[in-house]
Amino acid sequence: MTDWRSIFGHPQPYDEQVDGIETAVETARDGGYTVVEGACGTGKTMIALTAGIDLVRDPGTDYERVFVLTSVKQQLRQFEADLETINDNLPDDWNPVSGLTLVGKADVCPYNRAGAGGIDDGNVYDRCESLRDRTRELTGEGGETTAGTLTARARQQQTGLADSGTTGATGRFLETAGETAAYPPEMPTYSDGGAVGAETEYCPFYAQYLEDLPEEESEGDAAKAVPFDFTSTGMMTPDDLVARSVRNGTCPHSVMGAALGHVEVVIGNYYHAFDPTTTTAFTGALLDDSTFVVCDEAHMLEPRVRDLVSDGVADQTLRDAETELSRVLQPIRFEREGRDAQGGSKTADADLVRGELEDSDVSVEELSRTLEFVRDLRDELDRRVIAHLDRNHRGWQSNLTELSDAEIPLRDPQEPAVDDLTEWAAGAGYSDAVWVRAEDVGAVAERVLNEAEDEDRTRAAPAVGRVLGEWYRRDHTDYFREIELERTWDETEPADSWRRAYTARLALHNCVPSEAIGDRLAAFGGGILMSATLEPVDAFTEVTGLDYLADEEDRPVVERRYGLHFPEENRESFAVAAPKYTYDNRGRPGETNSTRTHYADAVASVARLPGNVLVGMPSYAEAEWIAGALEDRIEKPVLLDSASDDETTQSLKSDFFAGEGKVLVTSLRGTLTEGVDYSGDRLAAAVVCGVPIVNTSSPRTTAVRRAYDDAFGDGFEYALTIPAVRKSRQAVGRVIRSAEDVGVRVLLDERYARDSWDSVREYLPDDGEFQPVSPDMLEVGLDRFRSRLYSNN
């Protein structure tokens, strides 16, 4: 047995860390899970890493790795930093703990990072797969050349450029991650000396990876293809991975895949464990009982996994699938009609189609029937969208720019029943077999087209087939089906078509992901789930399937709660009994009434505190309103966040942190109230207005609530109220991040302050931190805190 204190990265652990580590280790030895709600400063990352590494390095356990899952990039960086701290402080005779961070192809592809080779964020996945396939075809059994020859040719091409003195827009060498590659920025091509234009593009980085694979065990031990020691280098970040790979001329993404099963700590996102596509293609080797899993920001586990295990298919994808199926059927039809007027080429295509059909046991009739189904399905979608717009937006054809996102439910969301689309299909004569066989038909179409065009790339037909199969198989209580309309703009569509204004999608929502979460957690050996906001923990264990592990599989689930241990005199926390901030009380943004006046005055009182102040509102529309109200009441600059891209949000955050104190107003459903570092003097106060319950009129929300009623007894509490309070707690939790931080946390709404039928006070920490006060006493409390701590300002 190892001594976890030798692994712990700091001289002296907090009492909470000692308890947390020892509890997690003991529980995981019995195949169980530790659930930790720990306030900021508890040191949860170090607890999890220390416990996991201790188990991995103990020869008395079967654990081989720690698999960290987090939904927040900043937390991912924190795990990397804490692992580096652990390695810096290990005993001298210990090997460093090996670590690897998983990211997507776009983040590690040398060409994409360098903006070279015709690869960019928009095409990196398809281009990568196509180039890999071509490289394998050139070098595999029966191929024209070897992987070593391809890499040598690419190096010679670069040497030729250097010798000629040629320079171009992308430079003479491909450079990224501080390294210069052995290949040029232009994608190399291979030719066997045939006709001009018959050259084949290939990826030299992937060719080098294939060259490094063991000859007899190319699939069995891919780690041997990694040309550098990754087990004794400590934490390998994505930039480290790219730099080492480029230095050796090999593919970073392939190296990542080869190494991930052999390092002691793997850091990734939730989709690396819960997304069916990712786990099947990439991370499946980690999903067994030799893995100790860490779910960080675990309050997000349920909503994130719900999205990952839901499915859908866009109208555009249906159209592409229809085109693909038509192209596959065309040579068969031409042959049957005797339309072989092109020197036998169509007959050859027909032979290809027949051969693939025979190999897959799919008939021409099934192919034809699936095409008819997809075509009719798209027509039915079109009909339903038009009917919806006619019903709700009179004259919509001439006012396309005024349309907004919408949902078209395919059943009453309050009453589980067979959806309208399934009933339409049955009435139109499409049998169960058409739904079930669509996936096999789509796979055949993809193989035929890739073979015919000598280009392996992702096709639409398999995706459509998969969704149709799932649509048929899934039940109608836990799953909700609807048409989603997302506001876009496409000038290529007719001026009076809804497709100019909307992207439509057939959506299959998993309303209750507890089974999917529980089944995946059951596959691991044990682990720890942690967050600053998990209360009530019994509800959390229900919705994540942990109670099933405890009750049915007899695997222990142990709970721990650790509060703030920073100096109490550095903070004040208020729950203000202002009128409920509900639509019935406040009305629309811009209305003048007593509720809005109460809130504007209270928020202004907090905003006048010295330093930066964060204001969280239930929506972006409400954020815009309070920002305007504050500009009339305070002298500080007021920054307004809106639904925008990440670059704009980062710029806004930088403005907020720079210079003198400001007020930043945002939606509690945005990205600035969770996982953002406001440590030090970056934030003096945070105030939340209302309980940010999502729009309860949404059909999808209604369906989730009804499904939670059936599963847990109180859908409103489990699906809406508890997640909303966690959002609020995350926002005010931004203020106190260390022992030196000083600040004020305010929850504005009587539901936080008083016990009533709709009170949420029971979901706040039971440490009495949030004092219930009346609106007029808030100013008194702020003055008292200001005089105590800001007297020198």
Side-chain angles (χ1 to χ4, degrees), residues 571-612:
R571 62 184 184 271
E572 287 285 3
S573 307
F574 301 105
V576 184
K580 298 174 186 176
Y581 201 66
T582 61
Y583 183 81
D584 288 343
N585 285 348
R586 70 181 186 253
R588 294 179 178 276
E591 288 187 17
T592 301
N593 53 53
S594 60
T595 297
R596 289 194 178 274
T597 299
H598 274 300
Y599 277 82
D601 291 343
V603 174
S605 295
V606 180
R608 293 189 188 101
L609 290 171
N612 285 341

Side-chain angles (χ1 to χ4, degrees), residues 389-461:
L389 293 174
D390 287 344
R391 222 172 20 248
N392 296 282
H393 302 279
R394 187 183 299 274
W396 58 270
Q397 291 92 339
S398 57
N399 294 290
L400 291 177
T401 58
E402 298 180 8
L403 297 176
S404 57
D405 291 357
E407 299 174 65
I408 307 174
L410 294 172
R411 68 161 168 87
D412 182 347
Q414 295 183 339
E415 297 295 332
V418 176
D419 66 280
D420 295 342
L421 208 59
T422 299
E423 291 189 335
W424 159 81
Y430 291 108
S431 66
D432 296 350
V434 177
W435 294 92
V436 173
R437 295 286 283 169
E439 188 165 7
D440 289 335
V441 172
V444 169
E446 181 175 62
R447 287 197 297 272
V448 169
L449 293 175
N450 285 347
E451 180 70 21
E453 297 177 2
D454 193 24
E455 180 181 11
D456 286 329
R457 64 183 180 86
T458 303
R459 307 284 177 172

Side-chain angles (χ1 to χ4, degrees), residues 268-282:
N269 203 311
Y270 283 144
Y271 66 80
H272 288 117
F274 293 98
D275 176 59
T277 302
T278 303
T279 55
T280 299
F282 191 53

Side-chain angles (χ1 to χ4, degrees), residues 219-270:
E219 297 301 325
D221 196 1
K224 294 179 180 177
V226 181
F228 51 85
D229 181 6
F230 60 87
T231 61
S232 62
T233 56
M235 180 65 230
M236 188 160 56
T237 67
D239 279 351
D240 294 333
L241 171 70
V242 173
R244 291 171 181 269
S245 299
V246 168
R247 191 182 309 151
N248 288 277
T250 192
C251 170
H253 192 264
S254 297
V255 166
M256 186 196 309
L260 66 86
H262 299 269
V263 295
E264 293 170 286
V265 178
V266 180
I267 303 173
N269 203 311
Y270 283 144

Side-chain angles (χ1 to χ4, degrees), residues 496-507:
D496 61 348
S497 168
W498 60 263
R499 289 187 172 94
R500 174 172 279 226
Y502 278 131
T503 295
R505 182 174 180 268
L506 293 175

Side-chain angles (χ1 to χ4, degrees), residues 1 8 82 85 94 97 111 279 373 386 392 456 569 581 627 695 697 705 714 748:
M1 182 178 293
F8 189 78
D82 275 18
T85 298
W94 284 40
V97 179
Y111 289 107
T279 55
F373 184 38
I386 291 174
N392 296 282
D456 286 329
E569 62 271 18
Y581 201 66
N695 178 13
S697 64
R705 178 181 173 184
D714 189 337
L748 275 177

